[in-house]
PDB file of all heavy atoms in Angstrom:
ATOM      1  N   PRO A   1       2.676 -13.366  -3.419  1.00 96.00           N
ATOM      2  CA  PRO A   1       1.666 -13.071  -4.405  1.00 96.00           C
ATOM      3  C   PRO A   1       0.260 -13.459  -3.958  1.00 96.00           C
ATOM      4  O   PRO A   1      -0.813 -12.741  -4.194  1.00 96.00           O
ATOM      5  CB  PRO A   1       2.014 -13.709  -5.707  1.00 96.00           C
ATOM      6  CG  PRO A   1       3.539 -13.855  -5.482  1.00 96.00           C
ATOM      7  CD  PRO A   1       3.849 -14.029  -4.033  1.00 96.00           C
ATOM      8  N   ALA A   2       0.092 -14.807  -3.312  1.00 95.00           N
ATOM      9  CA  ALA A   2      -1.174 -15.071  -2.819  1.00 95.00           C
ATOM     10  C   ALA A   2      -1.700 -14.390  -1.719  1.00 95.00           C
ATOM     11  O   ALA A   2      -2.954 -14.119  -1.584  1.00 95.00           O
ATOM     12  CB  ALA A   2      -1.005 -16.672  -2.459  1.00 95.00           C
ATOM     13  N   ILE A   3      -0.836 -13.918  -0.856  1.00 97.00           N
ATOM     14  CA  ILE A   3      -1.222 -13.075   0.223  1.00 97.00           C
ATOM     15  C   ILE A   3      -1.720 -11.673  -0.282  1.00 97.00           C
ATOM     16  O   ILE A   3      -2.721 -11.195   0.211  1.00 97.00           O
ATOM     17  CB  ILE A   3      -0.083 -12.893   1.301  1.00 97.00           C
ATOM     18  CG1 ILE A   3       0.139 -14.172   1.935  1.00 97.00           C
ATOM     19  CG2 ILE A   3      -0.488 -11.795   2.343  1.00 97.00           C
ATOM     20  CD1 ILE A   3       1.395 -14.209   2.694  1.00 97.00           C
ATOM     21  N   ILE A   4      -1.009 -11.103  -1.303  1.00 98.00           N
ATOM     22  CA  ILE A   4      -1.446  -9.872  -1.822  1.00 98.00           C
ATOM     23  C   ILE A   4      -2.794  -9.951  -2.432  1.00 98.00           C
ATOM     24  O   ILE A   4      -3.585  -8.982  -2.324  1.00 98.00           O
ATOM     25  CB  ILE A   4      -0.403  -9.371  -2.875  1.00 98.00           C
ATOM     26  CG1 ILE A   4       0.949  -9.050  -2.160  1.00 98.00           C
ATOM     27  CG2 ILE A   4      -0.949  -8.194  -3.753  1.00 98.00           C
ATOM     28  CD1 ILE A   4       1.988  -8.767  -3.256  1.00 98.00           C
ATOM     29  N   GLU A   5      -3.121 -11.049  -3.053  1.00 96.00           N
ATOM     30  CA  GLU A   5      -4.458 -11.173  -3.531  1.00 96.00           C
ATOM     31  C   GLU A   5      -5.510 -10.960  -2.593  1.00 96.00           C
ATOM     32  O   GLU A   5      -6.583 -10.374  -2.768  1.00 96.00           O
ATOM     33  CB  GLU A   5      -4.605 -12.553  -4.199  1.00 96.00           C
ATOM     34  CG  GLU A   5      -5.914 -12.826  -4.956  1.00 96.00           C
ATOM     35  CD  GLU A   5      -6.160 -11.839  -6.206  1.00 96.00           C
ATOM     36  OE1 GLU A   5      -5.123 -11.368  -6.681  1.00 96.00           O
ATOM     37  OE2 GLU A   5      -7.242 -11.451  -6.455  1.00 96.00           O
ATOM     38  N   HIS A   6      -5.254 -11.499  -1.376  1.00 97.00           N
ATOM     39  CA  HIS A   6      -6.327 -11.300  -0.331  1.00 97.00           C
ATOM     40  C   HIS A   6      -6.225  -9.853   0.172  1.00 97.00           C
ATOM     41  O   HIS A   6      -7.367  -9.368   0.697  1.00 97.00           O
ATOM     42  CB  HIS A   6      -5.961 -12.270   0.932  1.00 97.00           C
ATOM     43  CG  HIS A   6      -6.314 -13.712   0.600  1.00 97.00           C
ATOM     44  ND1 HIS A   6      -7.480 -14.150   0.362  1.00 97.00           N
ATOM     45  CD2 HIS A   6      -5.462 -14.801   0.485  1.00 97.00           C
ATOM     46  CE1 HIS A   6      -7.481 -15.338   0.121  1.00 97.00           C
ATOM     47  NE2 HIS A   6      -6.227 -15.786   0.231  1.00 97.00           N
ATOM     48  N   LEU A   7      -5.193  -9.232   0.191  1.00 97.00           N
ATOM     49  CA  LEU A   7      -5.026  -7.708   0.392  1.00 97.00           C
ATOM     50  C   LEU A   7      -6.042  -7.052  -0.443  1.00 97.00           C
ATOM     51  O   LEU A   7      -6.708  -5.998  -0.184  1.00 97.00           O
ATOM     52  CB  LEU A   7      -3.666  -7.245   0.463  1.00 97.00           C
ATOM     53  CG  LEU A   7      -3.489  -5.704   0.721  1.00 97.00           C
ATOM     54  CD1 LEU A   7      -4.024  -5.370   2.120  1.00 97.00           C
ATOM     55  CD2 LEU A   7      -2.093  -5.387   0.523  1.00 97.00           C
ATOM     56  N   ARG A   8      -6.170  -7.486  -1.696  1.00 95.00           N
ATOM     57  CA  ARG A   8      -6.917  -6.834  -2.709  1.00 95.00           C
ATOM     58  C   ARG A   8      -8.468  -7.120  -2.534  1.00 95.00           C
ATOM     59  O   ARG A   8      -9.270  -6.331  -2.875  1.00 95.00           O
ATOM     60  CB  ARG A   8      -6.480  -7.192  -4.067  1.00 95.00           C
ATOM     61  CG  ARG A   8      -5.101  -6.605  -4.456  1.00 95.00           C
ATOM     62  CD  ARG A   8      -4.664  -7.279  -5.797  1.00 95.00           C
ATOM     63  NE  ARG A   8      -3.339  -6.774  -6.200  1.00 95.00           N
ATOM     64  CZ  ARG A   8      -2.489  -7.388  -6.928  1.00 95.00           C
ATOM     65  NH1 ARG A   8      -2.758  -8.561  -7.410  1.00 95.00           N
ATOM     66  NH2 ARG A   8      -1.253  -6.847  -7.293  1.00 95.00           N
ATOM     67  N   THR A   9      -8.731  -8.326  -2.144  1.00 94.00           N
ATOM     68  CA  THR A   9     -10.079  -8.888  -2.272  1.00 94.00           C
ATOM     69  C   THR A   9     -10.792  -9.359  -1.012  1.00 94.00           C
ATOM     70  O   THR A   9     -11.965  -9.520  -0.966  1.00 94.00           O
ATOM     71  CB  THR A   9     -10.168 -10.025  -3.345  1.00 94.00           C
ATOM     72  OG1 THR A   9      -9.359 -11.121  -2.770  1.00 94.00           O
ATOM     73  CG2 THR A   9      -9.646  -9.493  -4.535  1.00 94.00           C
ATOM     74  N   GLY A  10      -9.992  -9.403   0.084  1.00 95.00           N
ATOM     75  CA  GLY A  10     -10.630 -10.032   1.227  1.00 95.00           C
ATOM     76  C   GLY A  10     -11.360  -9.077   2.105  1.00 95.00           C
ATOM     77  O   GLY A  10     -11.339  -7.737   1.784  1.00 95.00           O
ATOM     78  N   ASP A  11     -12.079  -9.558   3.122  1.00 96.00           N
ATOM     79  CA  ASP A  11     -12.690  -8.595   4.041  1.00 96.00           C
ATOM     80  C   ASP A  11     -11.726  -8.005   4.978  1.00 96.00           C
ATOM     81  O   ASP A  11     -10.489  -8.248   4.899  1.00 96.00           O
ATOM     82  CB  ASP A  11     -13.783  -9.382   4.787  1.00 96.00           C
ATOM     83  CG  ASP A  11     -13.161 -10.564   5.719  1.00 96.00           C
ATOM     84  OD1 ASP A  11     -11.907 -10.656   5.841  1.00 96.00           O
ATOM     85  OD2 ASP A  11     -14.041 -11.391   6.068  1.00 96.00           O
ATOM     86  N   GLU A  12     -12.201  -7.154   5.840  1.00 97.00           N
ATOM     87  CA  GLU A  12     -11.397  -6.378   6.673  1.00 97.00           C
ATOM     88  C   GLU A  12     -10.381  -7.283   7.546  1.00 97.00           C
ATOM     89  O   GLU A  12      -9.138  -6.825   7.525  1.00 97.00           O
ATOM     90  CB  GLU A  12     -12.053  -5.414   7.598  1.00 97.00           C
ATOM     91  CG  GLU A  12     -11.195  -4.531   8.417  1.00 97.00           C
ATOM     92  CD  GLU A  12     -11.934  -3.660   9.455  1.00 97.00           C
ATOM     93  OE1 GLU A  12     -13.185  -3.689   9.370  1.00 97.00           O
ATOM     94  OE2 GLU A  12     -11.327  -2.935  10.239  1.00 97.00           O
ATOM     95  N   PRO A  13     -10.744  -8.188   8.282  1.00 96.00           N
ATOM     96  CA  PRO A  13      -9.822  -8.965   9.121  1.00 96.00           C
ATOM     97  C   PRO A  13      -8.786  -9.684   8.186  1.00 96.00           C
ATOM     98  O   PRO A  13      -7.620  -9.783   8.673  1.00 96.00           O
ATOM     99  CB  PRO A  13     -10.663  -9.953   9.714  1.00 96.00           C
ATOM    100  CG  PRO A  13     -11.997  -9.477   9.759  1.00 96.00           C
ATOM    101  CD  PRO A  13     -12.204  -8.656   8.590  1.00 96.00           C
ATOM    102  N   LEU A  14      -9.160 -10.058   6.971  1.00 97.00           N
ATOM    103  CA  LEU A  14      -8.173 -10.812   6.131  1.00 97.00           C
ATOM    104  C   LEU A  14      -7.245  -9.771   5.526  1.00 97.00           C
ATOM    105  O   LEU A  14      -6.045 -10.097   5.497  1.00 97.00           O
ATOM    106  CB  LEU A  14      -8.934 -11.448   5.054  1.00 97.00           C
ATOM    107  CG  LEU A  14      -8.222 -12.471   4.197  1.00 97.00           C
ATOM    108  CD1 LEU A  14      -7.519 -13.527   5.020  1.00 97.00           C
ATOM    109  CD2 LEU A  14      -9.253 -13.256   3.205  1.00 97.00           C
ATOM    110  N   ARG A  15      -7.709  -8.547   5.150  1.00 98.00           N
ATOM    111  CA  ARG A  15      -6.833  -7.543   4.738  1.00 98.00           C
ATOM    112  C   ARG A  15      -5.743  -7.230   5.800  1.00 98.00           C
ATOM    113  O   ARG A  15      -4.639  -6.938   5.474  1.00 98.00           O
ATOM    114  CB  ARG A  15      -7.548  -6.336   4.135  1.00 98.00           C
ATOM    115  CG  ARG A  15      -8.482  -6.736   2.917  1.00 98.00           C
ATOM    116  CD  ARG A  15      -8.858  -5.428   2.169  1.00 98.00           C
ATOM    117  NE  ARG A  15      -9.375  -4.391   3.019  1.00 98.00           N
ATOM    118  CZ  ARG A  15     -10.627  -4.282   3.299  1.00 98.00           C
ATOM    119  NH1 ARG A  15     -11.517  -5.197   3.029  1.00 98.00           N
ATOM    120  NH2 ARG A  15     -11.093  -3.228   4.022  1.00 98.00           N
ATOM    121  N   LEU A  16      -6.330  -7.132   7.027  1.00 98.00           N
ATOM    122  CA  LEU A  16      -5.476  -6.637   8.097  1.00 98.00           C
ATOM    123  C   LEU A  16      -4.396  -7.756   8.354  1.00 98.00           C
ATOM    124  O   LEU A  16      -3.220  -7.321   8.460  1.00 98.00           O
ATOM    125  CB  LEU A  16      -6.237  -6.421   9.332  1.00 98.00           C
ATOM    126  CG  LEU A  16      -5.583  -5.784  10.499  1.00 98.00           C
ATOM    127  CD1 LEU A  16      -4.944  -4.402  10.207  1.00 98.00           C
ATOM    128  CD2 LEU A  16      -6.601  -5.630  11.604  1.00 98.00           C
ATOM    129  N   ALA A  17      -4.740  -9.058   8.319  1.00 97.00           N
ATOM    130  CA  ALA A  17      -3.815 -10.051   8.459  1.00 97.00           C
ATOM    131  C   ALA A  17      -2.780 -10.064   7.277  1.00 97.00           C
ATOM    132  O   ALA A  17      -1.573 -10.383   7.395  1.00 97.00           O
ATOM    133  CB  ALA A  17      -4.500 -11.450   8.517  1.00 97.00           C
ATOM    134  N   ALA A  18      -3.219  -9.862   6.090  1.00 98.00           N
ATOM    135  CA  ALA A  18      -2.292  -9.680   4.933  1.00 98.00           C
ATOM    136  C   ALA A  18      -1.294  -8.714   5.049  1.00 98.00           C
ATOM    137  O   ALA A  18      -0.094  -8.851   4.692  1.00 98.00           O
ATOM    138  CB  ALA A  18      -3.220  -9.571   3.654  1.00 98.00           C
ATOM    139  N   VAL A  19      -1.753  -7.405   5.528  1.00 98.00           N
ATOM    140  CA  VAL A  19      -0.777  -6.343   5.670  1.00 98.00           C
ATOM    141  C   VAL A  19       0.256  -6.716   6.705  1.00 98.00           C
ATOM    142  O   VAL A  19       1.456  -6.465   6.488  1.00 98.00           O
ATOM    143  CB  VAL A  19      -1.626  -5.061   6.131  1.00 98.00           C
ATOM    144  CG1 VAL A  19      -0.578  -4.111   6.718  1.00 98.00           C
ATOM    145  CG2 VAL A  19      -2.281  -4.479   4.965  1.00 98.00           C
ATOM    146  N   ARG A  20      -0.137  -7.233   7.776  1.00 98.00           N
ATOM    147  CA  ARG A  20       0.735  -7.687   8.919  1.00 98.00           C
ATOM    148  C   ARG A  20       1.782  -8.701   8.304  1.00 98.00           C
ATOM    149  O   ARG A  20       2.891  -8.623   8.620  1.00 98.00           O
ATOM    150  CB  ARG A  20       0.071  -8.105  10.099  1.00 98.00           C
ATOM    151  CG  ARG A  20      -0.573  -6.890  10.756  1.00 98.00           C
ATOM    152  CD  ARG A  20      -1.574  -7.482  11.842  1.00 98.00           C
ATOM    153  NE  ARG A  20      -2.216  -6.395  12.596  1.00 98.00           N
ATOM    154  CZ  ARG A  20      -3.355  -6.447  13.313  1.00 98.00           C
ATOM    155  NH1 ARG A  20      -3.828  -7.734  13.616  1.00 98.00           N
ATOM    156  NH2 ARG A  20      -3.771  -5.376  14.000  1.00 98.00           N
ATOM    157  N   ALA A  21       1.207  -9.639   7.596  1.00 98.00           N
ATOM    158  CA  ALA A  21       2.111 -10.679   7.056  1.00 98.00           C
ATOM    159  C   ALA A  21       3.088 -10.185   6.086  1.00 98.00           C
ATOM    160  O   ALA A  21       4.354 -10.566   6.076  1.00 98.00           O
ATOM    161  CB  ALA A  21       1.286 -11.724   6.476  1.00 98.00           C
ATOM    162  N   LEU A  22       2.716  -9.344   5.223  1.00 98.00           N
ATOM    163  CA  LEU A  22       3.535  -8.702   4.341  1.00 98.00           C
ATOM    164  C   LEU A  22       4.583  -7.887   4.931  1.00 98.00           C
ATOM    165  O   LEU A  22       5.776  -7.810   4.394  1.00 98.00           O
ATOM    166  CB  LEU A  22       2.810  -7.835   3.273  1.00 98.00           C
ATOM    167  CG  LEU A  22       1.727  -8.662   2.247  1.00 98.00           C
ATOM    168  CD1 LEU A  22       0.779  -7.554   1.551  1.00 98.00           C
ATOM    169  CD2 LEU A  22       2.506  -9.450   1.324  1.00 98.00           C
ATOM    170  N   GLY A  23       4.249  -7.218   6.016  1.00 98.00           N
ATOM    171  CA  GLY A  23       5.305  -6.535   6.767  1.00 98.00           C
ATOM    172  C   GLY A  23       6.423  -7.440   7.308  1.00 98.00           C
ATOM    173  O   GLY A  23       7.530  -7.068   7.395  1.00 98.00           O
ATOM    174  N   ASP A  24       6.005  -8.655   7.813  1.00 97.00           N
ATOM    175  CA  ASP A  24       6.964  -9.513   8.274  1.00 97.00           C
ATOM    176  C   ASP A  24       7.802 -10.159   7.169  1.00 97.00           C
ATOM    177  O   ASP A  24       9.046 -10.361   7.462  1.00 97.00           O
ATOM    178  CB  ASP A  24       6.148 -10.688   9.016  1.00 97.00           C
ATOM    179  CG  ASP A  24       5.640 -10.243  10.319  1.00 97.00           C
ATOM    180  OD1 ASP A  24       5.971  -9.174  10.875  1.00 97.00           O
ATOM    181  OD2 ASP A  24       4.641 -10.939  10.849  1.00 97.00           O
ATOM    182  N   LEU A  25       7.189 -10.329   6.002  1.00 97.00           N
ATOM    183  CA  LEU A  25       7.997 -10.865   4.886  1.00 97.00           C
ATOM    184  C   LEU A  25       8.896  -9.870   4.337  1.00 97.00           C
ATOM    185  O   LEU A  25       9.990 -10.293   4.022  1.00 97.00           O
ATOM    186  CB  LEU A  25       6.972 -11.551   3.987  1.00 97.00           C
ATOM    187  CG  LEU A  25       6.239 -12.759   4.337  1.00 97.00           C
ATOM    188  CD1 LEU A  25       5.022 -13.099   3.477  1.00 97.00           C
ATOM    189  CD2 LEU A  25       7.133 -13.949   4.497  1.00 97.00           C
ATOM    190  N   GLY A  26       8.511  -8.700   4.192  1.00 97.00           N
ATOM    191  CA  GLY A  26       9.356  -7.681   3.891  1.00 97.00           C
ATOM    192  C   GLY A  26      10.036  -7.685   2.529  1.00 97.00           C
ATOM    193  O   GLY A  26      11.091  -6.974   2.224  1.00 97.00           O
ATOM    194  N   THR A  27       9.624  -8.385   1.600  1.00 97.00           N
ATOM    195  CA  THR A  27      10.179  -8.337   0.231  1.00 97.00           C
ATOM    196  C   THR A  27       9.833  -7.031  -0.535  1.00 97.00           C
ATOM    197  O   THR A  27       8.768  -6.404  -0.107  1.00 97.00           O
ATOM    198  CB  THR A  27       9.645  -9.592  -0.628  1.00 97.00           C
ATOM    199  OG1 THR A  27       8.318  -9.407  -1.017  1.00 97.00           O
ATOM    200  CG2 THR A  27       9.923 -10.860   0.104  1.00 97.00           C
ATOM    201  N   PRO A  28      10.578  -6.660  -1.575  1.00 97.00           N
ATOM    202  CA  PRO A  28      10.091  -5.464  -2.330  1.00 97.00           C
ATOM    203  C   PRO A  28       8.694  -5.549  -2.725  1.00 97.00           C
ATOM    204  O   PRO A  28       7.933  -4.466  -2.662  1.00 97.00           O
ATOM    205  CB  PRO A  28      11.053  -5.326  -3.369  1.00 97.00           C
ATOM    206  CG  PRO A  28      12.309  -6.150  -2.963  1.00 97.00           C
ATOM    207  CD  PRO A  28      11.697  -7.171  -1.990  1.00 97.00           C
TER     208      PRO A  28
END
């Protein structure tokens, strides 16, 4: 949930990092 918040509000490098991390974590 904390990572998703950065996907919503962060700058481009942070959103990109968030997407990659969420892909690694892979929960629904």
Side-chain angles (χ1 to χ4, degrees):
I3 296 172
I4 290 174
E5 186 60 29
H6 289 297
L7 180 59
R8 292 173 179 151
T9 62
D11 59 12
E12 180 183 359
L14 192 52
R15 297 199 309 276
L16 190 55
V19 164
R20 290 169 176 166
L22 292 168
D24 288 339
L25 291 164
T27 67

